[in-house]
Amino acid sequence: MSTLEIRDLQVSVKLPDGELKPILAGVDLTIKSGETHAIMGPNGSGKSTLAYSIAGHPKYEITGGSVTLDGQDILALTVDERARAGLFLAMQYPVEVPGVSVANFLRTAKTAIDGQAPKLRTWAGELRGAMEKLQMDPAFAQRNVNEGFSGGEKKRHEIMQLELLKPKMAILDETDSGLDIDALRIVSEGVNRVRENGDTGFLLITHYVRILRYIKPDFVHVFVGGKIVEEGGSELADRLEAEGYEKFLTKA
């Protein structure tokens, strides 16, 4: 079993004039294998900052606190080292990678994480199987990563990476944004297939409760003003949908 521990995490972003603007104001969160934690909050509350800070985005400066994965100091690692340690980030806005095919990208990533290249015959079958489950045209394997992909196709590709790379901890940053009903269902089913193994812990960041109707969280955290101001079970998400965030803004 793996454990991601976030303790008093404080993060600032550097403004164009060089001044540091505080975003995260002391986040405490523990995620274990097999658990799904949903973070919900209004725009500008710092949810995505939390995701990208854990992943190692250079835009954000850690000013206090710690993040460890199975006791290892994640903040001391480079971005690629964090990925090899078992962290995975599904981005809200996946970037295009011209000149790199989906098939080559995924095999290279799998090789880097496992320390050895997957056998071609076995890997081809795994890749086809993952694409079929996500209802992706096999031709996508030869296309450049995310180049010309629709929003839904980009998100399916993110979940295909999740299924094939099998990380210890997966952070899904607003994976539901830009998805229609059918794509949301397909993406959610992919996440649930990984959840069934019980080997991966999930941090699911979202504004809306609709994805939580497909992916039922074990814990829900309300995020306002760069910190967690309320915690509960899945029923908390329903309360947020009915009542909104206004009552929590005074706690920030």
Side-chain angles (χ1 to χ4, degrees), residues 120-192:
L120 279 175
R121 184 173 299 178
T122 305
W123 177 248
E126 288 185 36
L127 183 59
R128 281 196 305 272
M131 296 185 78
E132 287 174 6
K133 290 174 185 175
L134 290 163
Q135 298 183 28
M136 297 181 71
D137 187 331
F140 272 86
Q142 302 310 317
R143 291 179 59 179
N144 292 337
V145 174
N146 292 324
E147 196 170 50
F149 286 21
S150 69
E153 289 164 348
K154 288 180 179 180
K155 297 302 177 70
R156 293 188 202 196
H157 179 227
E158 295 281 283
I159 301 307
M160 182 165 65
Q161 294 173 48
L162 172 66
E163 291 202 67
L164 291 170
L165 300 179
K166 300 177 175 63
K168 293 179 181 178
M169 293 289 157
I171 303 169
L172 310 183
D173 183 25
E174 298 194 33
T175 296
D176 53 338
S177 67
L179 297 183
D180 60 28
I181 293 173
D182 291 331
L184 177 63
R185 175 183 53 79
I186 292 167
V187 163
S188 297
E189 288 172 351
V191 173
N192 284 329

Side-chain angles (χ1 to χ4, degrees), residues 15-49:
L15 300 177
D17 62 5
E19 182 182 353
L20 287 178
K21 177 184 178 181
I23 304 293
L24 299 188
V27 178
D28 291 288
L29 185 61
T30 299
I31 304 172
K32 297 181 179 180
S33 299
E35 294 180 349
T36 298
H37 293 248
I39 285 189
M40 303 183 71
N43 283 326
S45 59
K47 302 184 303 299
S48 292
T49 296

Side-chain angles (χ1 to χ4, degrees), residues 79-80 82-90 102-118 123 126-127 130 134 156-170 190 194 197 199-200 202:
V79 173
D80 60 304
R82 296 181 199 202
R84 286 198 294 271
L87 278 179
F88 174 85
L89 172 64
V102 167
N104 285 339
F105 170 78
L106 289 169
R107 190 165 188 265
T108 300
K110 184 69 171 175
T111 299
I113 289 172
D114 290 353
Q116 60 182 4
W123 177 248
E126 288 185 36
L127 183 59
L134 290 163
R156 293 188 202 196
H157 179 227
E158 295 281 283
I159 301 307
M160 182 165 65
Q161 294 173 48
L162 172 66
E163 291 202 67
L164 291 170
L165 300 179
K166 300 177 175 63
K168 293 179 181 178
M169 293 289 157
V194 178
N197 294 328
D199 297 327
T200 302
F202 284 88

